Amino acid sequence: MPERAGDGPEELDAVRGDVRAVVDRFYAAFESADLDAMREIWLDDDRATCVHPGALPVRGATAVGRSWALMMANTPYLQFILTDVDIAVAGDTASVTCTENVLTAEEGGPLDSFGAGQTVSTNVLVRTEHGWRLWVRHSSPVVSAQVLSAGDDDDE
Amino acid sequence: MPERAGDGPEELDAVRGDVRAVVDRFYAAFESADLDAMREIWLDDDRATCVHPGALPVRGATAVGRSWALMMANTPYLQFILTDVDIAVAGDTASVTCTENVLTAEEGGPLDSFGAGQTVSTNVLVRTEHGWRLWVRHSSPVVSAQVLSAGDDDDE
């Protein structure tokens, strides 16, 4: 399927901007431990799916919200520096992959509850009547940074 | 967005069946180290994205294909037993999350090149004029099986 049927580069840029705004709201909600804001970002039905680093999938908006409450209760102050952000669009769905570099205020302590300072995440958003919502998130610790990514397409 | 605008349960079941068939072909290609079959399953443009366990994202069909060639060259005989398979559909996109339990023929050896016997994967497929194709895959080792997944919705 085309990125946007009948749409030109300007429309695609607008979609990317809308999607990026929701992703930015997601990280702001995570950083500020704002559970209400976090819940608003997610698709509000049983398709919502979240794989936290090292964990099994959590499915359904209710369970996903609970998992974020647990995450926020067990995570120290943190700040995300996103790098290598890529937004790919297919119709009314967008996939955002990025590397999350986590900074924490706990000097000398573990960087986060997963013991990793760098995670890679896939965030899949879907366009709804209420705007773009986070449908699927999969996050995982980076343990072998360059082995399989050294072959990225040269033309990108 | 609805699962399928204007479609009933029978149509949704048909979509799930089509999607599952592609996912099954993916695992068969991986198990048999069939690189040609693997390449055919993927979306053939620069939106194709794959996060192998512990690694950074690989983007673009060419680079994704190369990463699979590398994976297949460095992985012993293996067999996947999928559990907890869930298919969520939104329009012309589907997300398949599952736990991959990896069996290997190397008795006494490491289960795979990542040293983990269980991975959780998100496979996002998109409907194209050539059928459903794998658009985004994110796979990660399971290190804390129950902590964040114990709160799954009761009604599922």
Side-chain angles (χ1 to χ4, degrees), chain A residues 67-88:
Chain A
S67 77
W68 281 106
L70 190 61
M71 283 283 288
M72 290 170 175
N74 290 297
T75 304
Y77 170 84
L78 50 74
Q79 182 180 349
F80 290 101
I81 308 289
L82 303 185
T83 52
D84 193 27
V85 180
D86 183 80
I87 302 177

Side-chain angles (χ1 to χ4, degrees), chain A residues 52-66:
Chain A
H52 294 285
L56 294 173
V58 179
R59 299 192 184 103
T62 304
V64 168
R66 273 203 299 264

Side-chain angles (χ1 to χ4, degrees), chain B residues 47-60:
Chain B
R47 290 173 292 172
T49 304
C50 188
V51 181
H52 294 286
L56 294 172
V58 179
R59 300 193 183 103

Side-chain angles (χ1 to χ4, degrees), chain A residues 20-35:
Chain A
R20 179 59 193 252
V22 175
V23 169
D24 288 345
R25 283 171 50 208
F26 166 83
Y27 287 102
F30 195 174
E31 286 179 344
S32 61
D34 186 336
L35 187 58

Side-chain angles (χ1 to χ4, degrees), chain A residues 34-46:
Chain A
D34 186 336
L35 187 58
D36 289 338
M38 177 61 78
R39 288 185 197 271
E40 282 178 12
I41 288 160
W42 283 84
L43 187 64
D44 189 24
D45 63 35
D46 61 6

Side-chain angles (χ1 to χ4, degrees), chain B residues 129-145:
Chain B
E129 59 185 1
H130 306 294
W132 290 88
R133 292 290 185 96
L134 188 51
W135 172 22
V136 180
R137 172 177 164 83
H138 190 138
S139 185
S140 57
V142 177
V143 295
S144 58

Side-chain angles (χ1 to χ4, degrees), chain A residues 111-156:
Chain A
L111 277 176
D112 61 26
S113 59
F114 300 105
Q118 198 176 51
T119 47
V120 59
S121 290
T122 298
N123 295 296
V124 180
L125 292 85
V126 61
R127 191 202 302 263
T128 76
E129 59 185 1
H130 306 293
W132 290 88
R133 293 289 185 96
L134 188 51
W135 172 22
V136 180
R137 172 176 163 84
H138 191 138
S139 185
S140 57
V142 177
V143 295
S144 56
Q146 297 306 325
V147 176
L148 285 166
S149 62
D152 267 0
D153 285 358
D154 299 327
D155 54 353
E156 291 183 334

